[in-house]
Amino acid sequence: MTMALKVEMLGVDALSADHWALWDQMRLANPALSSPYFRPEFSRIAAGVTPGARVAVLHRGEDVVGFFPHQTRGGAIQPLAAPMNDYHGIISHPETAPTLNHVADLLDGNRLNVSGWVGPGGAGKVREAVMAVLPDDGFEPWYAERRTTQGKYFKDKERARRSLESELGPVRVELGLRDPDLLKQVVNLKRDQYRRSGLHDVFACGWTVRLLEALIQAEGDFGASIAGLWAGDKLCALEYSLHADSHYHFWFPAYVPGLARCSPGVLLSLETMRQGSEQGYRVFDFGFGGEHYKKYFCNASQSLHEAVIQKPGLQASLRGAAAATLETLVGPARGEALRTSLRRRWSAIEACEVDGLARVRGVAVAARAALRKTPDILTASA
């Protein structure tokens, strides 16, 4: 008879050297955990700046069979460093990974909220993360294939590059930049974008910026850095990315407003892949699908789960009643689209803001933005 799983809650700094060695052994044995987010370094660095950080250590008898780094927000449990953590799940050998529903039952919160769960699912909806996987000989064979199958798109981007050079001067791209001033520019450009779009400003809370600052200081084969594209003397685009082993995760792209016609962000991605392949990177992760340009780059995907698992009680009953009311008002399909939008907005606010007043302000801004966008959401779902 298989022994039941038991959970031990530890601070990240309480994990022993043996724990970390087992963590890395499990990660290397499980291909689904290849993202840099699963490296021990990410959790150690994130725990240093993230409020409410801890690790659920899963035991079966005397054996440790898994780890789940997470954070607590009142009675809610979220992956460590959410909403900055694009991929999360149990660090374990593939054959012993518990399901998402089982993990929710084991934890001591009243709600588990995940947006990019890797591993056995059950609850919630499936999302696809997309990536460009290069062959062993690097960028050029991949680009030749893309130019054949997506020729019109990439020829257009080559024309955009020539146009940018004609207007501003020669294009140059630099990778591996760790300049604090460039990081400030990335953050400021993203904050401007959040204000324009009505999305929650994930950098207003402070600790999320400190996370980027800490990751960019990491040394060795794990860390973060910035890639920048200049045309002549003008900075046109930046992207903050996370990388480890052969995996390069595009994370926070930003480009200077007014240059969209020249596609500086796409040009930066292309050149990042070209130069990055020379440094040994073979998987360029674009995160969740959605943006139109990604379909032209990506030739592989990974299925992830997004879910809110609520334990029985008053909150679960209220959530169910609200969902039923919304479906009655606008229909099941439209109600689901609106629920998803509101849930994602609230998840970001809850994860970022540990101060009650800041949460109230965030909810007010999100509510106004949702009301403005409701016709668009409903139309898109029709």
Side-chain angles (χ1 to χ4, degrees):
M1 186 175 182
T2 303
M3 289 184 173
L5 281 175
K6 293 185 178 179
V7 175
E8 176 187 17
M9 291 296 180
L10 294 177
V12 176
D13 57 357
L15 267 64
S16 68
D18 288 342
H19 281 132
W20 290 117
L22 180 59
W23 179 311
D24 223 23
Q25 180 190 96
M26 291 173 169
R27 179 186 67 84
L28 291 170
N30 191 343
L33 305 180
S34 61
S35 170
Y37 291 105
F38 295 111
R39 285 280 294 255
E41 295 93 329
F42 181 83
S43 290
R44 285 198 291 261
I45 292 170
V49 298
T50 304
R54 60 183 187 173
V55 176
V57 183
L58 305 185
H59 294 262
R60 182 165 279 121
E62 297 298 317
D63 297 328
V64 173
V65 296
F67 303 91
F68 178 46
H70 62 280
Q71 62 196 29
T72 57
R73 296 290 183 266
I77 293 176
Q78 304 164 330
L80 178 61
M84 309 286 278
N85 188 332
D86 289 353
Y87 296 101
H88 35 264
I90 301 296
I91 311 297
S92 70
H93 288 99
E95 66 275 8
T96 59
T99 66
L100 174 56
N101 297 66
H102 193 180
V103 173
D105 289 339
L106 290 169
L107 299 177
D108 58 359
N110 57 35
R111 175 164 43 90
L112 174 62
N113 192 343
V114 298
S115 59
W117 180 267
V118 175
K125 62 186 291 186
V126 176
R127 307 176 73 186
E128 294 295 322
V130 294
M131 54 210 70
V133 179
L134 275 54
D136 291 342
D137 39 1
F139 176 85
E140 295 303 335
W142 171 86
Y143 190 56
E145 184 274 332
R146 291 283 101 183
R147 222 172 167 277
T148 298
T149 58
Q150 308 289 347
K152 184 178 184 300
Y153 180 83
F154 286 104
K155 288 175 185 176
D156 179 68
K157 300 312 167 189
E158 291 167 6
R159 284 193 294 270
R161 177 170 180 147
R162 291 193 294 270
S163 175
L164 190 60
E165 289 183 325
S166 175
E167 183 177 338
L168 296 174
V171 167
R172 65 182 173 89
V173 169
E174 295 184 28
L175 270 60
L177 304 172
R178 293 176 169 84
D179 184 340
D181 289 334
L182 285 180
L183 177 54
K184 288 178 183 176
Q185 290 189 61
V186 171
V187 170
N188 289 337
L189 286 168
K190 294 304 291 185
R191 296 191 72 181
D192 287 343
Q193 179 186 338
Y194 297 143
R195 280 191 287 269
R196 292 194 304 271
S197 64
L199 295 174
H200 184 68
D201 181 354
V202 301
F203 294 122
C205 60
W207 70 261
T208 49
V209 176
R210 292 193 292 276
L211 174 63
L212 298 190
E213 291 170 342
L215 288 168
I216 212 169
Q217 295 171 20
E219 298 179 352
D221 69 340
F222 168 89
S225 64
I226 299 167
L229 181 147
W230 286 261
D233 295 327
K234 184 175 181 61
L235 177 62
C236 302
L238 295 164
E239 181 143 20
Y240 183 104
S241 298
L242 189 66
H243 34 74
D245 307 306
S246 62
H247 202 116
Y248 194 102
H249 184 91
F250 292 115
W251 202 359
F252 288 103
Y255 60 84
V256 176
L259 291 174
R261 67 191 184 283
C262 296
S263 303
V266 170
L267 297 178
L268 177 57
S269 295
L270 270 173
E271 191 59 32
T272 296
M273 291 176 65
R274 186 191 306 275
Q275 294 187 28
S277 73
E278 295 170 358
Q279 299 173 19
Y281 296 111
R282 289 295 179 268
V283 178
F284 290 86
D285 196 324
F286 287 79
F288 298 121
E291 291 87 349
H292 180 69
Y293 75 92
K294 293 181 182 180
K295 72 176 185 179
Y296 298 105
F297 280 82
C298 296
N299 57 9
S301 64
Q302 182 175 9
S303 295
L304 312 170
H305 288 266
E306 178 183 29
V308 177
I309 303 177
Q310 185 90 42
K311 291 188 176 178
L314 178 60
Q315 288 188 2
S317 299
L318 292 174
R319 184 184 295 270
T325 300
L326 192 58
E327 286 190 7
T328 300
L329 291 172
V330 300
R334 296 179 179 182
E336 174 63 23
L338 188 54
R339 274 204 316 277
T340 297
S341 175
L342 293 172
R343 183 178 69 243
R344 289 174 180 171
R345 287 175 182 273
W346 166 245
S347 294
I349 295 166
E350 184 179 47
C352 291
E353 311 298 346
V354 294
D355 174 77
L357 183 58
R359 283 190 183 178
V360 170
R361 287 196 298 265
V363 168
V365 171
R368 288 196 296 270
L371 288 173
R372 287 197 305 270
K373 291 189 174 184
T374 294
D376 296 333
I377 292 171
L378 300 184
T379 300
S381 305

Short mmCIF file of all heavy atoms in Angstrom, two decimals, residues 212-246:
data_model
loop_
_atom_site.label_atom_id
_atom_site.label_comp_id
_atom_site.label_asym_id
_atom_site.label_seq_id
_atom_site.Cartn_x
_atom_site.Cartn_y
_atom_site.Cartn_z
N LEU A 212 13.87 41.67 -9.90
CA LEU A 212 14.62 41.83 -11.14
C LEU A 212 16.04 42.29 -10.87
O LEU A 212 16.99 41.84 -11.53
CB LEU A 212 13.91 42.83 -12.07
CG LEU A 212 12.50 42.47 -12.54
CD1 LEU A 212 12.05 43.44 -13.62
CD2 LEU A 212 12.40 41.04 -13.03
N GLU A 213 16.19 43.18 -9.91
CA GLU A 213 17.53 43.67 -9.56
C GLU A 213 18.40 42.54 -9.01
O GLU A 213 19.60 42.45 -9.33
CB GLU A 213 17.42 44.79 -8.51
CG GLU A 213 16.80 46.07 -9.05
CD GLU A 213 16.48 47.07 -7.96
OE1 GLU A 213 16.42 46.67 -6.76
OE2 GLU A 213 16.26 48.25 -8.28
N ALA A 214 17.80 41.66 -8.20
CA ALA A 214 18.57 40.56 -7.61
C ALA A 214 18.92 39.51 -8.66
O ALA A 214 20.05 38.99 -8.68
CB ALA A 214 17.78 39.93 -6.47
N LEU A 215 17.99 39.19 -9.55
CA LEU A 215 18.25 38.18 -10.57
C LEU A 215 19.34 38.63 -11.53
O LEU A 215 20.13 37.81 -12.02
CB LEU A 215 16.97 37.87 -11.34
CG LEU A 215 15.90 37.08 -10.59
CD1 LEU A 215 14.59 37.10 -11.36
CD2 LEU A 215 16.36 35.64 -10.35
N ILE A 216 19.41 39.90 -11.80
CA ILE A 216 20.38 40.39 -12.77
C ILE A 216 21.80 40.36 -12.20
O ILE A 216 22.79 40.46 -12.94
CB ILE A 216 19.99 41.82 -13.23
CG1 ILE A 216 20.40 42.06 -14.69
CG2 ILE A 216 20.56 42.89 -12.33
CD1 ILE A 216 19.84 43.31 -15.29
N GLN A 217 21.89 40.22 -10.88
CA GLN A 217 23.20 40.14 -10.23
C GLN A 217 23.70 38.70 -10.07
O GLN A 217 24.82 38.48 -9.60
CB GLN A 217 23.15 40.82 -8.86
CG GLN A 217 22.88 42.32 -8.95
CD GLN A 217 22.61 42.93 -7.59
OE1 GLN A 217 22.96 42.38 -6.55
NE2 GLN A 217 21.98 44.10 -7.58
N ALA A 218 22.85 37.72 -10.43
CA ALA A 218 23.24 36.32 -10.28
C ALA A 218 24.44 36.00 -11.18
O ALA A 218 24.57 36.53 -12.29
CB ALA A 218 22.08 35.41 -10.62
N GLU A 219 25.28 35.11 -10.70
CA GLU A 219 26.48 34.73 -11.45
C GLU A 219 26.42 33.25 -11.81
O GLU A 219 25.68 32.47 -11.21
CB GLU A 219 27.73 35.04 -10.62
CG GLU A 219 27.90 36.53 -10.31
CD GLU A 219 29.14 36.79 -9.48
OE1 GLU A 219 29.78 35.81 -9.01
OE2 GLU A 219 29.47 37.98 -9.27
N GLY A 220 27.20 32.86 -12.79
CA GLY A 220 27.22 31.47 -13.21
C GLY A 220 26.31 31.26 -14.41
O GLY A 220 26.04 32.18 -15.18
N ASP A 221 25.82 30.02 -14.57
CA ASP A 221 25.02 29.71 -15.75
C ASP A 221 23.53 29.96 -15.54
O ASP A 221 22.71 29.62 -16.39
CB ASP A 221 25.25 28.25 -16.19
CG ASP A 221 24.67 27.25 -15.20
OD1 ASP A 221 24.43 27.63 -14.03
OD2 ASP A 221 24.47 26.08 -15.58
N PHE A 222 23.16 30.56 -14.42
CA PHE A 222 21.79 30.98 -14.18
C PHE A 222 21.78 32.48 -13.95
O PHE A 222 22.66 33.03 -13.30
CB PHE A 222 21.20 30.29 -12.95
CG PHE A 222 19.90 30.91 -12.50
CD1 PHE A 222 18.69 30.46 -13.02
CD2 PHE A 222 19.87 31.97 -11.60
CE1 PHE A 222 17.49 31.04 -12.63
CE2 PHE A 222 18.68 32.55 -11.21
CZ PHE A 222 17.48 32.08 -11.73
N GLY A 223 20.74 33.14 -14.47
CA GLY A 223 20.60 34.56 -14.17
C GLY A 223 19.69 35.26 -15.13
O GLY A 223 18.94 34.65 -15.89
N ALA A 224 19.74 36.57 -15.09
CA ALA A 224 18.93 37.40 -15.96
C ALA A 224 19.81 38.49 -16.55
O ALA A 224 20.85 38.84 -15.98
CB ALA A 224 17.77 38.02 -15.18
N SER A 225 19.39 39.00 -17.68
CA SER A 225 20.14 40.08 -18.32
C SER A 225 19.21 40.81 -19.28
O SER A 225 18.06 40.40 -19.51
CB SER A 225 21.37 39.55 -19.07
OG SER A 225 20.97 38.71 -20.14
N ILE A 226 19.71 41.89 -19.84
CA ILE A 226 18.94 42.73 -20.75
C ILE A 226 19.59 42.69 -22.12
O ILE A 226 20.81 42.72 -22.25
CB ILE A 226 18.89 44.17 -20.23
CG1 ILE A 226 18.20 44.22 -18.87
CG2 ILE A 226 18.16 45.09 -21.23
CD1 ILE A 226 18.37 45.54 -18.14
N ALA A 227 18.77 42.60 -23.14
CA ALA A 227 19.22 42.78 -24.52
C ALA A 227 18.69 44.12 -25.00
O ALA A 227 17.56 44.51 -24.68
CB ALA A 227 18.69 41.65 -25.41
N GLY A 228 19.49 44.84 -25.76
CA GLY A 228 19.08 46.14 -26.25
C GLY A 228 19.34 46.29 -27.73
O GLY A 228 20.31 45.73 -28.26
N LEU A 229 18.46 47.02 -28.40
CA LEU A 229 18.62 47.30 -29.83
C LEU A 229 18.71 48.81 -30.02
O LEU A 229 17.85 49.56 -29.55
CB LEU A 229 17.46 46.74 -30.63
CG LEU A 229 17.50 46.94 -32.15
CD1 LEU A 229 16.84 45.75 -32.87
CD2 LEU A 229 16.79 48.24 -32.59
N TRP A 230 19.78 49.23 -30.68
CA TRP A 230 19.99 50.62 -31.02
C TRP A 230 19.99 50.77 -32.54
O TRP A 230 20.46 49.88 -33.26
CB TRP A 230 21.33 51.13 -30.50
CG TRP A 230 21.40 51.36 -29.02
CD1 TRP A 230 21.27 52.53 -28.35
CD2 TRP A 230 21.64 50.37 -28.01
NE1 TRP A 230 21.41 52.35 -27.00
CE2 TRP A 230 21.65 51.01 -26.75
CE3 TRP A 230 21.86 48.98 -28.04
CZ2 TRP A 230 21.85 50.35 -25.56
CZ3 TRP A 230 22.06 48.31 -26.85
CH2 TRP A 230 22.06 48.99 -25.62
N ALA A 231 19.49 51.90 -33.03
CA ALA A 231 19.64 52.29 -34.43
C ALA A 231 20.36 53.63 -34.43
O ALA A 231 19.82 54.62 -33.90
CB ALA A 231 18.29 52.40 -35.12
N GLY A 232 21.57 53.65 -34.97
CA GLY A 232 22.40 54.83 -34.78
C GLY A 232 22.66 55.02 -33.30
O GLY A 232 23.07 54.08 -32.61
N ASP A 233 22.37 56.21 -32.77
CA ASP A 233 22.56 56.47 -31.34
C ASP A 233 21.28 56.31 -30.54
O ASP A 233 21.28 56.53 -29.33
CB ASP A 233 23.08 57.91 -31.14
CG ASP A 233 24.47 58.10 -31.75
OD1 ASP A 233 25.25 57.13 -31.72
OD2 ASP A 233 24.76 59.21 -32.23
N LYS A 234 20.19 55.92 -31.20
CA LYS A 234 18.89 55.87 -30.52
C LYS A 234 18.58 54.48 -30.00
O LYS A 234 18.60 53.50 -30.77
CB LYS A 234 17.78 56.33 -31.47
CG LYS A 234 16.40 56.40 -30.80
CD LYS A 234 15.36 56.96 -31.75
CE LYS A 234 13.99 57.05 -31.08
NZ LYS A 234 13.99 57.94 -29.90
N LEU A 235 18.28 54.39 -28.72
CA LEU A 235 17.81 53.14 -28.13
C LEU A 235 16.36 52.92 -28.56
O LEU A 235 15.50 53.78 -28.34
CB LEU A 235 17.90 53.21 -26.60
CG LEU A 235 17.37 52.01 -25.83
CD1 LEU A 235 18.16 50.76 -26.16
CD2 LEU A 235 17.41 52.27 -24.33
N CYS A 236 16.09 51.76 -29.17
CA CYS A 236 14.77 51.50 -29.73
C CYS A 236 13.98 50.43 -28.97
O CYS A 236 12.75 50.48 -28.94
CB CYS A 236 14.90 51.06 -31.20
SG CYS A 236 15.75 52.26 -32.25
N ALA A 237 14.65 49.42 -28.43
CA ALA A 237 13.94 48.33 -27.76
C ALA A 237 14.85 47.68 -26.73
O ALA A 237 16.08 47.65 -26.88
CB ALA A 237 13.48 47.29 -28.78
N LEU A 238 14.22 47.16 -25.68
CA LEU A 238 14.91 46.45 -24.62
C LEU A 238 14.11 45.20 -24.27
O LEU A 238 12.90 45.18 -24.44
CB LEU A 238 15.05 47.32 -23.37
CG LEU A 238 15.91 48.57 -23.45
CD1 LEU A 238 15.62 49.50 -22.27
CD2 LEU A 238 17.39 48.20 -23.48
N GLU A 239 14.79 44.18 -23.77
CA GLU A 239 14.06 43.03 -23.22
C GLU A 239 14.87 42.42 -22.08
O GLU A 239 16.06 42.12 -22.22
CB GLU A 239 13.77 41.96 -24.26
CG GLU A 239 12.99 40.79 -23.66
CD GLU A 239 11.96 40.20 -24.60
OE1 GLU A 239 12.07 40.42 -25.81
OE2 GLU A 239 11.06 39.50 -24.11
N TYR A 240 14.18 42.28 -20.95
CA TYR A 240 14.75 41.63 -19.77
C TYR A 240 14.37 40.16 -19.84
O TYR A 240 13.19 39.81 -19.98
CB TYR A 240 14.16 42.28 -18.51
CG TYR A 240 14.71 41.75 -17.20
CD1 TYR A 240 15.64 42.48 -16.47
CD2 TYR A 240 14.28 40.53 -16.68
CE1 TYR A 240 16.12 42.01 -15.25
CE2 TYR A 240 14.77 40.05 -15.47
CZ TYR A 240 15.68 40.80 -14.76
OH TYR A 240 16.16 40.34 -13.57
N SER A 241 15.36 39.29 -19.77
CA SER A 241 15.12 37.85 -19.94
C SER A 241 15.80 37.05 -18.85
O SER A 241 16.79 37.49 -18.25
CB SER A 241 15.61 37.38 -21.31
OG SER A 241 14.90 38.03 -22.35
N LEU A 242 15.27 35.85 -18.62
CA LEU A 242 15.81 34.90 -17.65
C LEU A 242 16.41 33.73 -18.43
O LEU A 242 15.83 33.28 -19.42
CB LEU A 242 14.69 34.41 -16.75
CG LEU A 242 15.04 33.56 -15.53
CD1 LEU A 242 15.83 34.37 -14.52
CD2 LEU A 242 13.75 33.03 -14.88
N HIS A 243 17.58 33.23 -18.00
CA HIS A 243 18.21 32.16 -18.77
C HIS A 243 19.02 31.23 -17.88
O HIS A 243 19.55 31.62 -16.84
CB HIS A 243 19.09 32.73 -19.88
CG HIS A 243 19.79 34.02 -19.52
ND1 HIS A 243 20.87 34.08 -18.67
CD2 HIS A 243 19.53 35.29 -19.89
CE1 HIS A 243 21.27 35.35 -18.54
NE2 HIS A 243 20.47 36.11 -19.27
N ALA A 244 19.09 29.98 -18.33
CA ALA A 244 19.87 28.96 -17.64
C ALA A 244 20.03 27.77 -18.56
O ALA A 244 19.15 27.46 -19.37
CB ALA A 244 19.18 28.52 -16.34
N ASP A 245 21.17 27.10 -18.45
CA ASP A 245 21.44 25.93 -19.29
C ASP A 245 21.28 26.34 -20.76
O ASP A 245 21.85 27.34 -21.17
CB ASP A 245 20.54 24.77 -18.90
CG ASP A 245 20.61 24.45 -17.41
OD1 ASP A 245 21.74 24.25 -16.92
OD2 ASP A 245 19.57 24.45 -16.73
N SER A 246 20.48 25.63 -21.54
CA SER A 246 20.29 25.99 -22.95
C SER A 246 18.96 26.71 -23.18
O SER A 246 18.51 26.86 -24.31
CB SER A 246 20.33 24.73 -23.82
OG SER A 246 19.27 23.85 -23.47
#
